[in-house]
Amino acid sequence: MNANLIQQQAAYKSQALSSFSDKHERKSNVRSNDAPRKKPRLESPAISKNPLRFKWIKLCVDRLRKRYQKVKKPITLEDLIKNIRLELDPAEKNWLFNALKENVKCHFDYEKKRFSFKPTYEMHSKNDLLSLLQNKYENGLGGILLDDVNECLLKGDEVVKELEQEALIKTIVRSDKRTVLFYRDTSVEHQVDDCFKEVWNMISVKEINEGDIESYLKRVGITLMSNLDSKSMQPKKRPVKRKRKVKMLNSHLTSDILKEFD
Protein backbone atom coordinates (compact mmCIF):
# COMPACT_ATOMS: atom_id res chain seq x y z
CA MET A 1 0.00 0.00 0.00
CA ASN A 2 1.11 3.55 -0.66
CA ALA A 3 2.81 5.22 2.32
CA ASN A 4 0.69 8.35 1.84
CA LEU A 5 -2.55 6.36 2.05
CA ILE A 6 -1.35 4.60 5.22
CA GLN A 7 -0.68 7.96 6.89
CA GLN A 8 -4.14 9.28 5.87
CA GLN A 9 -5.81 6.14 7.24
CA ALA A 10 -4.03 6.46 10.61
CA ALA A 11 -4.92 10.15 10.86
CA TYR A 12 -8.61 9.39 10.15
CA LYS A 13 -8.71 6.70 12.84
CA SER A 14 -7.17 8.95 15.47
CA GLN A 15 -9.60 11.79 14.60
CA ALA A 16 -12.59 9.43 14.81
CA LEU A 17 -11.50 8.14 18.21
CA SER A 18 -10.99 11.64 19.60
CA SER A 19 -14.40 12.84 18.39
CA PHE A 20 -16.11 9.78 19.91
CA SER A 21 -14.45 10.38 23.30
CA ASP A 22 -15.51 14.06 23.26
CA LYS A 23 -19.17 13.16 22.59
CA HIS A 24 -19.12 10.58 25.33
CA GLU A 25 -17.74 13.08 27.85
CA ARG A 26 -20.39 15.65 26.90
CA LYS A 27 -23.21 13.14 27.37
CA SER A 28 -21.87 12.09 30.77
CA ASN A 29 -21.66 15.74 31.85
CA VAL A 30 -25.21 16.41 30.69
CA ARG A 31 -26.50 13.38 32.59
CA SER A 32 -24.67 14.40 35.75
CA ASN A 33 -25.98 17.97 35.58
CA ASP A 34 -29.57 16.98 34.64
CA ALA A 35 -30.03 14.28 37.24
CA PRO A 36 -33.72 13.56 37.92
CA ARG A 37 -34.93 15.50 40.91
CA LYS A 38 -37.40 14.04 43.35
CA LYS A 39 -40.82 15.63 43.20
CA PRO A 40 -41.68 17.46 46.41
CA ARG A 41 -44.35 15.74 48.40
CA LEU A 42 -47.51 17.73 48.83
CA GLU A 43 -48.34 15.82 51.96
CA SER A 44 -45.96 14.38 54.50
CA PRO A 45 -46.41 10.77 55.59
CA ALA A 46 -47.16 11.91 59.14
CA ILE A 47 -50.10 14.06 57.98
CA SER A 48 -51.44 11.45 55.56
CA LYS A 49 -51.61 8.91 58.39
CA ASN A 50 -53.08 11.34 60.91
CA PRO A 51 -56.74 10.37 61.56
CA LEU A 52 -57.55 13.86 62.88
CA ARG A 53 -56.97 15.69 59.58
CA PHE A 54 -60.60 15.30 58.43
CA LYS A 55 -61.77 16.47 61.85
CA TRP A 56 -59.75 19.67 61.33
CA ILE A 57 -61.61 20.36 58.09
CA LYS A 58 -65.01 19.71 59.69
CA LEU A 59 -64.26 22.02 62.61
CA CYS A 60 -63.08 24.78 60.28
CA VAL A 61 -66.10 24.49 57.97
CA ASP A 62 -68.52 24.49 60.92
CA ARG A 63 -66.87 27.60 62.36
CA LEU A 64 -67.02 29.35 58.98
CA ARG A 65 -70.71 28.45 58.71
CA LYS A 66 -71.46 29.94 62.13
CA ARG A 67 -69.56 33.10 61.21
CA TYR A 68 -71.59 33.34 58.01
CA GLN A 69 -74.82 33.14 60.03
CA LYS A 70 -73.72 35.81 62.55
CA VAL A 71 -70.76 38.01 61.52
CA LYS A 72 -70.61 37.36 57.76
CA LYS A 73 -66.94 38.43 57.66
CA PRO A 74 -64.04 36.40 56.18
CA ILE A 75 -61.23 35.26 58.43
CA THR A 76 -57.58 34.28 58.07
CA LEU A 77 -56.39 30.75 58.66
CA GLU A 78 -54.38 31.76 61.73
CA ASP A 79 -57.41 33.36 63.39
CA LEU A 80 -59.56 30.40 62.40
CA ILE A 81 -57.13 27.98 64.05
CA LYS A 82 -57.04 30.14 67.20
CA ASN A 83 -60.84 30.24 67.42
CA ILE A 84 -61.05 26.46 67.15
CA ARG A 85 -58.07 26.09 69.54
CA LEU A 86 -56.11 23.72 67.37
CA GLU A 87 -52.44 23.05 67.91
CA LEU A 88 -50.84 22.47 64.51
CA ASP A 89 -47.26 22.59 63.30
CA PRO A 90 -46.29 24.50 60.09
CA ALA A 91 -46.63 21.39 57.90
CA GLU A 92 -50.11 20.67 59.24
CA LYS A 93 -51.16 24.30 58.78
CA ASN A 94 -49.97 24.21 55.17
CA TRP A 95 -51.95 21.03 54.54
CA LEU A 96 -55.07 22.50 56.13
CA PHE A 97 -54.68 25.69 54.09
CA ASN A 98 -54.63 23.75 50.79
CA ALA A 99 -57.45 21.45 51.90
CA LEU A 100 -59.75 24.37 52.76
CA LYS A 101 -59.03 26.07 49.45
CA GLU A 102 -60.23 22.96 47.60
CA ASN A 103 -63.29 22.43 49.82
CA VAL A 104 -66.63 23.08 48.09
CA LYS A 105 -68.05 24.80 51.18
CA CYS A 106 -65.19 27.28 51.52
CA HIS A 107 -64.47 30.44 49.56
CA PHE A 108 -60.90 31.82 49.55
CA ASP A 109 -60.11 35.45 48.75
CA TYR A 110 -56.68 35.41 47.08
CA GLU A 111 -56.19 39.16 47.54
CA LYS A 112 -57.00 39.33 51.25
CA LYS A 113 -55.89 35.74 52.00
CA ARG A 114 -59.07 35.07 53.96
CA PHE A 115 -61.64 32.27 54.11
CA SER A 116 -65.42 32.48 54.24
CA PHE A 117 -68.32 30.04 54.09
CA LYS A 118 -69.78 29.22 50.66
CA PRO A 119 -73.47 28.27 50.99
CA THR A 120 -75.60 26.64 48.32
CA TYR A 121 -77.86 29.72 48.21
CA GLU A 122 -77.20 33.30 49.29
CA MET A 123 -79.79 34.11 51.94
CA HIS A 124 -79.59 35.99 55.21
CA SER A 125 -83.18 36.52 56.30
CA LYS A 126 -86.75 35.28 56.09
CA ASN A 127 -87.50 37.59 53.15
CA ASP A 128 -84.48 36.27 51.25
CA LEU A 129 -85.77 32.72 51.62
CA LEU A 130 -89.27 33.64 50.49
CA SER A 131 -88.06 35.59 47.45
CA LEU A 132 -85.73 32.73 46.48
CA LEU A 133 -88.58 30.19 46.68
CA GLN A 134 -90.86 32.47 44.69
CA ASN A 135 -88.19 32.92 42.01
CA LYS A 136 -87.75 29.15 41.75
CA TYR A 137 -91.51 28.67 41.50
CA GLU A 138 -91.90 31.23 38.72
CA ASN A 139 -89.06 29.69 36.71
CA GLY A 140 -90.14 26.08 37.30
CA LEU A 141 -86.97 25.15 39.23
CA GLY A 142 -88.63 23.24 42.07
CA GLY A 143 -87.87 23.78 45.74
CA ILE A 144 -85.06 24.10 48.28
CA LEU A 145 -83.83 21.56 50.79
CA LEU A 146 -84.30 22.39 54.44
CA ASP A 147 -80.65 21.48 55.04
CA ASP A 148 -79.56 24.28 52.68
CA VAL A 149 -81.73 26.73 54.62
CA ASN A 150 -80.31 25.68 58.00
CA GLU A 151 -76.73 26.23 56.82
CA CYS A 152 -77.57 29.85 55.88
CA LEU A 153 -80.01 30.98 58.58
CA LEU A 154 -79.23 30.77 62.28
CA LYS A 155 -82.74 29.60 63.23
CA GLY A 156 -83.83 28.07 59.96
CA ASP A 157 -86.43 25.71 61.44
CA GLU A 158 -88.23 28.55 63.20
CA VAL A 159 -88.25 30.66 60.04
CA VAL A 160 -89.74 27.77 58.06
CA LYS A 161 -92.49 27.24 60.68
CA GLU A 162 -93.40 30.93 60.52
CA LEU A 163 -93.70 30.82 56.74
CA GLU A 164 -95.83 27.67 56.97
CA GLN A 165 -98.17 29.29 59.49
CA GLU A 166 -98.50 32.27 57.16
CA ALA A 167 -99.43 29.85 54.32
CA LEU A 168 -96.59 31.16 52.17
CA ILE A 169 -94.64 27.91 51.69
CA LYS A 170 -95.33 24.19 51.62
CA THR A 171 -93.06 21.41 52.87
CA ILE A 172 -92.81 17.86 51.53
CA VAL A 173 -90.79 15.00 53.04
CA ARG A 174 -89.08 12.89 50.39
CA SER A 175 -88.50 9.16 50.50
CA ASP A 176 -84.97 9.76 51.84
CA LYS A 177 -86.55 11.70 54.77
CA ARG A 178 -85.16 15.05 53.59
CA THR A 179 -87.56 17.98 53.71
CA VAL A 180 -88.07 20.15 50.62
CA LEU A 181 -89.58 23.65 50.72
CA PHE A 182 -91.82 24.99 47.94
CA TYR A 183 -93.45 28.34 47.35
CA ARG A 184 -97.21 28.21 47.90
CA ASP A 185 -99.20 30.05 45.26
CA THR A 186 -102.63 30.55 46.80
CA SER A 187 -104.01 32.08 43.58
CA VAL A 188 -104.10 28.66 41.86
CA GLU A 189 -105.63 26.81 44.80
CA HIS A 190 -109.30 25.86 44.51
CA GLN A 191 -111.60 24.54 47.19
CA VAL A 192 -113.58 21.48 46.04
CA ASP A 193 -117.03 20.86 47.49
CA ASP A 194 -117.52 17.79 49.63
CA CYS A 195 -120.45 16.68 47.44
CA PHE A 196 -118.21 16.54 44.40
CA LYS A 197 -115.64 14.52 46.35
CA GLU A 198 -118.31 12.00 47.37
CA VAL A 199 -119.56 11.60 43.80
CA TRP A 200 -115.99 11.20 42.57
CA ASN A 201 -115.27 8.46 45.10
CA MET A 202 -118.52 6.63 44.23
CA ILE A 203 -117.54 6.18 40.57
CA SER A 204 -116.14 2.69 40.03
CA VAL A 205 -113.65 1.95 37.27
CA LYS A 206 -113.02 -1.70 38.09
CA GLU A 207 -114.68 -2.91 34.87
CA ILE A 208 -112.54 -0.60 32.69
CA ASN A 209 -109.06 -1.75 31.78
CA GLU A 210 -106.12 0.29 30.53
CA GLY A 211 -106.89 -0.52 26.89
CA ASP A 212 -110.44 0.92 27.18
CA ILE A 213 -109.07 4.09 28.76
CA GLU A 214 -106.50 4.48 26.00
CA SER A 215 -109.07 4.00 23.23
CA TYR A 216 -111.43 6.49 24.86
CA LEU A 217 -108.71 9.11 25.15
CA LYS A 218 -107.79 8.66 21.49
CA ARG A 219 -111.45 8.92 20.50
CA VAL A 220 -111.90 12.26 22.25
CA GLY A 221 -108.61 13.58 20.83
CA ILE A 222 -106.34 13.23 23.87
CA THR A 223 -102.95 11.69 23.14
CA LEU A 224 -101.01 9.66 25.65
CA MET A 225 -97.44 10.29 26.69
CA SER A 226 -94.86 8.54 24.56
CA ASN A 227 -93.58 6.44 27.45
CA LEU A 228 -97.06 5.39 28.66
CA ASP A 229 -98.56 3.03 26.12
CA SER A 230 -101.00 0.23 26.83
CA LYS A 231 -98.28 -2.39 26.97
CA SER A 232 -96.17 -0.56 29.53
CA MET A 233 -99.23 0.23 31.68
CA GLN A 234 -100.33 -3.40 31.97
CA PRO A 235 -99.42 -5.04 35.28
CA LYS A 236 -96.59 -7.52 35.15
CA LYS A 237 -97.59 -11.14 35.44
CA ARG A 238 -96.09 -13.13 38.21
CA PRO A 239 -94.04 -16.10 37.10
CA VAL A 240 -95.87 -19.39 37.49
CA LYS A 241 -94.17 -21.77 39.85
CA ARG A 242 -93.58 -25.11 38.18
CA LYS A 243 -93.84 -28.31 40.10
CA ARG A 244 -90.53 -29.99 40.52
CA LYS A 245 -90.27 -33.59 39.44
CA VAL A 246 -89.42 -35.77 42.40
CA LYS A 247 -87.28 -38.77 41.64
CA MET A 248 -88.83 -41.95 43.02
CA LEU A 249 -86.43 -44.30 44.78
CA ASN A 250 -86.75 -48.07 45.12
CA SER A 251 -89.30 -48.18 42.30
CA HIS A 252 -87.89 -51.51 41.17
CA LEU A 253 -89.02 -53.21 44.39
CA THR A 254 -92.46 -54.75 44.67
CA SER A 255 -94.99 -53.85 47.35
CA ASP A 256 -94.82 -57.27 49.01
CA ILE A 257 -91.12 -56.83 49.72
CA LEU A 258 -91.40 -53.36 51.27
CA LYS A 259 -92.77 -53.22 54.79
CA GLU A 260 -93.75 -50.35 57.02
CA PHE A 261 -92.46 -50.23 60.59
CA ASP A 262 -94.20 -48.20 63.26
Side-chain angles (χ1 to χ4, degrees):
M1 185 180 290
N2 191 355
N4 190 13
L5 292 175
I6 294 172
Q7 292 177 359
Q8 290 179 2
Q9 186 180 11
Y12 175 77
K13 288 181 179 181
S14 62
Q15 185 178 1
L17 290 172
S18 62
S19 62
F20 176 76
S21 61
D22 291 340
K23 289 181 181 179
H24 185 68
E25 289 178 0
R26 290 176 184 175
K27 289 182 179 180
S28 61
N29 292 332
V30 170
R31 289 177 182 175
S32 61
N33 293 331
D34 298 339
R37 298 178 182 178
K38 294 183 178 180
K39 294 182 179 180
R41 289 186 176 181
L42 300 177
E43 185 177 328
S44 63
I47 298 175
S48 63
K49 296 179 181 179
N50 193 339
L52 298 176
R53 54 180 182 158
F54 298 108
K55 184 179 179 180
W56 302 339
I57 298 176
K58 184 180 183 303
L59 291 173
C60 291
V61 173
D62 289 343
R63 182 53 59 94
L64 290 174
R65 178 177 56 82
K66 292 179 181 179
R67 284 182 62 85
Y68 176 84
Q69 294 174 348
K70 296 180 180 180
V71 184
K72 301 179 180 63
K73 291 183 179 180
I75 188 174
T76 61
L77 181 63
E78 292 292 335
D79 294 338
L80 185 60
I81 292 173
K82 289 179 182 178
N83 291 339
I84 304 173
R85 297 178 182 178
L86 291 176
E87 295 181 0
L88 305 177
D89 57 27
E92 293 171 343
K93 290 180 181 179
N94 187 33
W95 179 88
L96 183 60
F97 178 78
N98 294 324
L100 290 177
K101 284 201 303 183
E102 297 176 358
N103 194 284
V104 294
K105 287 297 180 182
C106 296
H107 173 71
F108 180 69
D109 190 347
Y110 285 89
E111 294 182 359
K112 299 180 180 180
K113 306 296 182 182
R114 294 174 182 269
F115 287 95
S116 61
F117 184 70
K118 186 179 179 181
T120 307
Y121 303 101
E122 286 288 342
M123 66 180 82
H124 304 285
S125 63
K126 172 182 173 182
N127 294 329
D128 292 344
L129 173 59
L130 185 60
S131 60
L132 182 60
L133 287 172
Q134 186 175 2
N135 185 27
K136 278 182 164 289
Y137 170 75
E138 292 174 354
N139 293 286
L141 300 177
I144 298 175
L145 288 173
L146 180 60
D147 297 338
D148 296 336
V149 177
N150 287 330
E151 73 177 12
C152 296
L153 303 180
L154 184 60
K155 297 179 180 179
D157 294 330
E158 296 181 3
V159 172
V160 171
K161 287 182 180 179
E162 291 178 4
L163 292 174
E164 278 187 306
Q165 292 174 358
E166 296 173 5
L168 296 175
I169 65 172
K170 192 171 185 179
T171 59
I172 295 176
V173 181
R174 300 192 315 194
S175 58
D176 57 356
K177 298 182 180 181
R178 302 184 72 181
T179 305
V180 186
L181 312 180
F182 295 93
Y183 178 75
R184 184 174 180 179
D185 189 1
T186 55
S187 62
V188 298
E189 294 182 358
H190 181 70
Q191 187 68 26
V192 181
D193 295 336
D194 294 335
C195 296
F196 182 81
K197 293 179 181 179
E198 292 179 2
V199 173
W200 178 270
N201 294 327
M202 289 171 59
I203 299 174
S204 176
V205 291
K206 293 181 179 179
E207 299 177 356
I208 304 174
N209 55 26
E210 302 294 341
D212 297 335
I213 296 174
E214 183 181 357
S215 60
Y216 173 78
L217 293 175
K218 290 180 179 179
R219 190 164 59 251
V220 297
I222 300 175
T223 57
L224 291 174
M225 294 176 63
S226 59
N227 294 332
L228 295 177
D229 53 358
S230 59
K231 293 182 179 179
S232 61
M233 295 171 67
Q234 291 179 356
K236 294 182 179 180
K237 295 181 180 179
R238 294 182 179 179
V240 180
K241 294 183 179 180
R242 297 182 179 179
K243 295 182 179 180
R244 296 178 60 184
K245 294 182 178 180
V246 181
K247 187 176 181 180
M248 300 296 293
L249 301 177
N250 299 328
S251 59
H252 61 286
L253 301 176
T254 57
S255 58
D256 55 348
I257 299 176
L258 297 176
K259 295 181 179 180
E260 295 182 0
F261 297 91
D262 296 333

